[in-house]
């Protein structure tokens, strides 16, 4: 399909708007985007490795495929949802607004092919974020919504009509039985958000855990904007303790494997090692000597030097291996650096 065709352009725009609030922020700050962007002056990045790309989307801008048996996934190449067909209706897992009405189209397509019901009876929330469940209200009021108890609290305070609060909540564990199918929901502590849940399909060899590990891509800006950095670094270990073959990460165009997750863990460990080495190596003295009483200027330049020292070798190692290593490794390194300093106390010095 031509890159200028209408559905592609439309889904691209929806996707960019959903993924990043960055342009709005840059405009407010009077940044580079105060000038209209021009393709000639925008920076170039390394090509995306083919291994990071998934199947092509159809003319309506989505792809739907089987994960295993009656478990399916839907993607627009930037966001993912999943659904389980059962003899009593469909259980949907997340409703990203960027996929929007294509969710029901994908379900209709699979239901028609298999002669099963296309009626969504249950909607499971991975976590409260609008970019993953902002299409929830499209499924009306005659749907049982399920989420972790903190998702209910957060959604109640956020009061967004697009994201009705869950009707059924759980604190640590909940087994969902619908139409002869079972799904295990679990909360193992805070990570990306306080309510982020592990969705395990024991009869389909699949784990869904959103916004932690995005198969074959580096994390989104600043380590996926994770609220709890140590919890998010630990989450893949918890995920690996489950039996699964297929992984649904909520983002980009493909599913993940256990080998993909090991590769991602290595990437994070390489950043952590790089940060510890940089904190022990980069001397802050010249930065504070130069900027005197402008402590923020000294801190900014010193930390930028630490990030460059730590992230440089990681970017080099993962270019061509993880997509967009040159785009977001530095901002993720900054997030991990700050957590290592502030949460772990690494490199803290007590005045003599
Ligand atoms: Zn999120």
């Amino acid at each position: 399909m031509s890159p200028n065709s209408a559905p592609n352009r439309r889904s691209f725009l929806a996707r960019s708007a959903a993924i990043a609030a960055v342009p709005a922020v840059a405009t407010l700050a009077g940044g580079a985007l105060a000038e209209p962007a021009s393709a000639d002056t925008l920076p170039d990045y390394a090509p995306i490795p083919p291994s990071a790309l998934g199947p092509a989307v159809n003319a309506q801008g989505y792809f739907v495929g089987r994960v295993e048996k009656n478990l399916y996934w839907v993607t627009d190449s930037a966001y993912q949802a999943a659904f389980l067909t059962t003899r009593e209706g469909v259980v949907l897992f997340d409703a990203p607004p960027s996929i929007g009405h294509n969710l029901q189209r994908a379900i209709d397509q699979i239901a028609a092919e298999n002669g099963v019901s296309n009626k969504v009876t249950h909607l499971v929330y991975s976590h409260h974020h609008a970019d993953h469940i902002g299409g929830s209200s499209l499924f009306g009021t005659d749907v049982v919504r399920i989420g972790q108890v903190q998702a209910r609290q957060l959604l109640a305070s956020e009061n967004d009509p697009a994201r009705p609060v869950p009707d059924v909540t759980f604190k640590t564990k909940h087994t969902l039985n619908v139409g002869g199918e079972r799904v295990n929901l679990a909360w193992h502590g805070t990570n990306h958000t306080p309510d982020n849940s592990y969705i395990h399909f024991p009869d389909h060899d699949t784990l869904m855990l959103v916004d932690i590990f995005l198969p074959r891509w580096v994390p989104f800006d600043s380590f996926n904007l994770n609220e709890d950095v140590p919890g998010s670094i630990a989450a893949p270990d918890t995920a690996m303790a489950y039996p699964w073959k297929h992984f649904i990460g909520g983002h980009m165009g493909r599913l993940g494997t256990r080998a993909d997750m090991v590769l991602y863990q290595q990437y994070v460990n390489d950043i952590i090692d790089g940060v510890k080495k940089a904190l022990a190596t980069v001397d802050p003295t010249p930065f504070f000597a130069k900027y005197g009483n402008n402590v923020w200027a000294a801190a900014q330049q010193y930390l930028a030097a630490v990030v460059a020292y730590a992230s440089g070798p990681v970017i080099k190692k993962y270019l061509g291996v993880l997509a967009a290593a040159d785009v977001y490794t530095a901002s993720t390194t900054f997030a991990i650096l700050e957590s290592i300093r502030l949460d772990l106390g690494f490199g803290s010095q007590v005045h003599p």
Side-chain angles (χ1 to χ4, degrees), residues 127 129 131-132 192-193 210-211 224 251:
H127 66 302
H129 276 167
D131 62 332
H132 289 276
H192 169 65
T193 52
V210 169
D211 282 349
N224 281 335
H251 275 288

Side-chain angles (χ1 to χ4, degrees), residues 89-152:
V90 174
V91 186
L92 176 62
F93 301 86
D94 279 355
S98 70
I99 308 180
H101 289 280
N102 277 339
L103 287 167
Q104 188 64 55
R105 288 189 191 104
I107 292 167
D108 290 348
Q109 180 189 329
I110 295 297
E113 281 170 20
N114 296 284
V116 294
S117 167
N118 67 347
K119 165 107 183 83
V120 175
T121 57
H122 295 74
L123 173 47
V124 174
Y125 290 170
S126 65
H127 66 302
H128 71 106
H129 276 167
D131 62 332
H132 289 276
I133 62 164
S136 174
S137 62
L138 298 178
F139 294 88
T141 51
D142 191 21
V143 169
V144 180
R145 292 176 170 83
I146 302 137
Q148 207 266 343
V149 66
Q150 292 171 91
R152 187 183 168 90

Side-chain angles (χ1 to χ4, degrees), residues 29-281:
L33 291 177
E35 297 281 312
S38 148
D40 301 331
T41 53
L42 289 171
D44 291 313
Y45 293 102
I48 294 303
S51 60
L53 299 173
V57 298
N58 62 17
Q60 278 148 320
Y62 72 90
F63 167 85
V64 61
R66 175 176 275 139
V67 181
E68 188 150 320
K69 293 187 276 190
N70 53 335
L71 176 64
Y72 299 86
W73 66 298
V74 190
T75 182
D76 60 5
S77 298
Y79 280 87
Q80 300 175 353
F83 63 91
L84 196 56
T85 60
T86 82
R87 55 174 192 254
E88 286 166 14
V90 174
V91 186
L92 176 62
F93 301 86
D94 279 355
S98 70
I99 308 180
H101 289 280
N102 277 339
L103 287 167
Q104 188 64 55
R105 288 189 191 104
I107 292 167
D108 290 348
Q109 180 189 329
I110 295 297
E113 281 170 20
N114 296 284
V116 294
S117 167
N118 67 347
K119 165 107 183 83
V120 175
T121 57
H122 295 74
L123 173 47
V124 174
Y125 290 170
S126 65
H127 66 302
H128 71 106
H129 276 167
D131 62 332
H132 289 276
I133 62 164
S136 174
S137 62
L138 298 178
F139 294 88
T141 51
D142 191 21
V143 169
V144 180
R145 292 176 170 83
I146 302 137
Q148 207 266 343
V149 66
Q150 292 171 91
R152 187 183 168 90
Q153 290 157 3
L154 288 159
L155 288 167
S157 69
E158 288 160 2
N159 196 27
D160 175 3
R163 290 174 290 155
V165 299
D167 311 291
V168 175
T169 60
F170 64 96
K171 200 168 170 206
T172 56
K173 270 185 193 172
H174 180 77
T175 298
L176 181 64
N177 289 297
V178 181
E181 306 294 332
R182 67 180 171 145
V183 184
N184 293 324
L185 310 177
W187 181 82
H188 295 293
T190 176
N191 46 60
H192 169 65
T193 52
D195 60 332
N196 206 20
S197 301
Y198 294 69
I199 303 168
H200 188 232
F201 302 86
D203 304 316
H204 300 81
D205 252 345
T206 300
L207 182 72
M208 180 169 180
L209 174 64
V210 169
D211 282 349
I212 290 292
F213 144 64
L214 319 180
R216 294 285 178 147
W217 286 74
V218 301
F220 176 65
D221 207 346
S222 308
F223 197 32
N224 281 335
L225 304 173
N226 290 324
E227 291 183 36
D228 179 340
V229 170
S232 301
I233 290 171
D237 286 333
T238 305
M240 288 297 260
Y242 280 89
W244 54 268
K245 211 169 111 194
H246 316 288
F247 183 86
I248 302 167
H251 275 288
M252 314 322 255
R254 48 163 286 174
L255 299 174
T257 63
R258 295 184 79 89
D260 292 336
M261 190 173 263
V262 170
L263 176 65
Y264 165 74
Q265 289 180 294
Q266 187 59 54
Y267 168 80
V268 173
N269 285 335
D270 286 344
I271 292 177
I272 294 168
D273 289 348
V275 163
K276 289 184 173 169
K277 210 167 136 200
L279 283 171
T281 308

